[in-house]
Amino acid sequence: MPSPAVGVRERLASRAGLIATCLVLSVVLAVSVVVAIGLGAAVVPPEQTARYLWAAFSGGRVGAEEAATYQIIWQIRTPRVLLAAVVGAGLSTVGVTIQALVRNPLADPFVLGVSSGASVGAVAVTVTGGLAVLGVYAVSAGAFAGALAASLLVYAASSSRGELSPLRLVLTGVALGLGFQALMSVIIYFAPDSEATSTVLYWTMGGFGAATWGALPLVASAVLLCTAVLYRHARALDVLALGDETARSLGIDPDRYRRSLLVLVSLVTGVMVAVSGAIGFVGLVMPHLVRMVAGAVHARVLAVAPPAGAVFMVWVDLASRTLVAPREMPLGTITALVGVPVFITLIRRRAYIFGGR
């Protein structure tokens, strides 16, 4: 039997490894952000990019001959790259939570129909011209309203006598998601404006082309708050992943936790989808990759998943705007091309099971 001192050393070593992993990912994220901001149609060296960013944050001056490049870096690329990092972190975090809540390794943030509901809202606003008073934020507002309505419908349809069964939740989400997709197709089919239809179809595949500084604070605040709350309930997620009977035997009400966390992740997913469109596979694949490194304990997974997802999304966004420049590839296309082979490779590994090795 190992001595208490050995157990303490193992815990310290494990905690040190987790801290080291998070620090490494944070450095990689910072470097990735600077590199991604500098790359594009007009390439700016990393040291010059860092100088522009420092001037913007510190209130420094930039020469008149550099004003155009500075505007590209600060007003166009920086909010886009930062928004990509925030959304990537949020999708990874929410993916970890959803898989624990429904005890399904194939679940992701969009399995509950939130993405499809947001798409219907965005399509309706674009085609009908509704919410025009909100200007450039009309589509985002419509998408968030659709996501919120979808979440409420899924919750109302899957709840029975105050109980929220994981299986019923998944099946209801999938069914309503298909219904929302059908409704979106009908709206697009009868849309009189082909340009609006093209815009909507591109939006439903995801992208950060419309990123602005105005949208960043709300999304970042929502993701940070969600991550903090979920990290605080990491122990409950560990127990929920073991099953409802086990949770009850340990003094945790699975229905109450599932209900409250479902509301939280649905709202955050709606906020992210409203500014980025529907980006698949990030919330599905990233939790599995993180578990291979950090293990199955949710306190560790929720510490590693946000920076890992942020790094991944920053590079995916960079690829989307540089591979076929000057055109942009939809983010959903790239995440699917990357996610499908990675996920198939994971599930074919005999040593890998859901939640660890």
Side-chain angles (χ1 to χ4, degrees), residues 92-104 226-244 246-247 250 252-254 256-262 264-265 291 296-303 354-355:
S92 298
T93 303
V94 173
V96 171
T97 307
I98 291 292
Q99 290 176 3
L101 290 180
V102 302
R103 300 200 306 273
N104 190 328
C226 175
T227 303
V229 172
L230 293 176
Y231 188 84
R232 183 179 179 183
H233 294 284
R235 176 58 181 165
L237 292 176
D238 290 334
V239 177
L240 286 177
L242 299 176
D244 288 4
T246 303
L250 295 175
I252 291 179
D253 184 350
R256 182 174 67 86
Y257 266 99
R258 191 172 287 117
R259 187 162 47 244
S260 58
L261 294 182
L262 174 64
L264 176 63
V265 298
R291 288 189 189 97
V297 178
H298 281 87
R300 298 172 61 85
V301 176
L302 289 173
F354 174 58

Side-chain angles (χ1 to χ4, degrees), residues 99-117:
Q99 290 176 3
L101 290 180
V102 302
R103 300 200 306 273
N104 190 328
L106 296 178
D108 70 356
F110 304 136
V111 73
L112 302 181
V114 177
S115 174
S116 300

Side-chain angles (χ1 to χ4, degrees), residues 318-335:
L318 177 62
S320 74
R321 56 188 171 88
T322 57
L323 288 179
V324 291
R327 302 181 63 184
E328 287 190 17
M329 291 183 63
L331 287 179
T333 302
I334 300 177
T335 55

